[in-house]
Amino acid sequence: MDQQLFVKMALQGWNTQVARAEKYFNALSEADFQKTVAPGKNRVIYLYGHLTSYHGLLSDTLGLGEAFYPELAPVFLRSPDGPAVNAYPVEKLREYWNNVHARLTVLFNALPAEDWFKRHNAMTDEDFANDPTRNRLSVLLSRTNHIAYHFGQLVLV
């Protein structure tokens, strides 16, 4: 089967999940962002920052350029929801979200289909030789599933 078809399918899935999440976040009020997905769990604003941060790191993980907004990682990836999140107002996170996804769209669309099947930066050449299914495309598929997972949490709010 044609590599280009696999890439097209994966990018359509990614774009669908990003668009669903974006539509959800754009419909929320400021107060909605402070709601938790369940008692004692993350707030919506944390998940917004979490997804933005995780996606911002994709360009580096995939070897397509420097990470976007790496300063978000300590707050939204390496720590649970807490007071540090409040340093990032919704409008700032919205700006970051839009910038990250606009840039990723350009990078993803410019990447030739065959390059999606190459090694990503989170593994060694030896690891890749042992398991070539752990390629850039598999990272994209994993991140697409990650959005869907958190979107499932968000719809509970």
Side-chain angles (χ1 to χ4, degrees):
M1 188 151 254
D2 183 34
Q3 286 181 333
Q4 198 158 4
L5 180 61
F6 285 125
V7 171
K8 182 178 180 179
M9 290 166 39
L11 287 172
Q12 283 177 337
W14 165 263
N15 290 330
T16 297
Q17 292 301 328
V18 169
R20 285 176 67 204
E22 189 169 302
K23 182 178 177 183
Y24 176 87
F25 288 126
N26 286 342
L28 297 178
S29 69
E30 287 283 330
D32 290 334
F33 277 95
Q34 299 307 315
K35 293 178 181 176
T36 59
V37 297
K41 299 297 181 186
N42 294 324
R43 291 175 294 160
V44 173
I45 192 169
Y46 178 84
L47 291 176
Y48 196 27
H50 175 77
L51 290 171
T52 302
S53 178
Y54 209 36
H55 299 169
L57 298 176
L58 262 175
S59 53
D60 180 55
T61 302
L62 296 176
L64 304 178
E66 291 185 24
F68 306 110
Y69 310 112
E71 68 275 11
L72 297 176
V75 175
F76 293 103
L77 296 180
R78 296 188 202 112
S79 302
D81 191 354
V85 171
N86 299 330
Y88 295 93
V90 172
E91 283 311 309
K92 183 54 79 176
L93 290 175
R94 192 178 313 280
E95 175 188 332
Y96 290 173
W97 172 279
N98 291 334
N99 291 343
V100 163
H101 292 98
R103 186 69 181 130
L104 287 177
T105 297
V106 170
L107 292 172
F108 291 174
N109 289 337
L111 194 64
E114 61 272 9
D115 287 358
W116 281 101
F117 295 88
K118 293 180 178 177
R119 179 182 74 81
H120 57 78
N121 287 344
M123 65 184 317
T124 66
D125 288 332
E126 183 180 342
D127 289 338
F128 184 66
N130 290 332
D131 186 1
T133 65
R134 292 180 55 206
N135 53 42
R136 289 172 168 165
L137 192 63
S138 71
V139 171
L140 180 70
L141 294 171
S142 173
R143 297 306 189 276
T144 301
N145 288 336
H146 183 245
I147 301 169
Y149 171 79
H150 286 303
F151 188 75
Q153 292 177 313
L154 291 166
V155 296
L156 297 175
V157 178

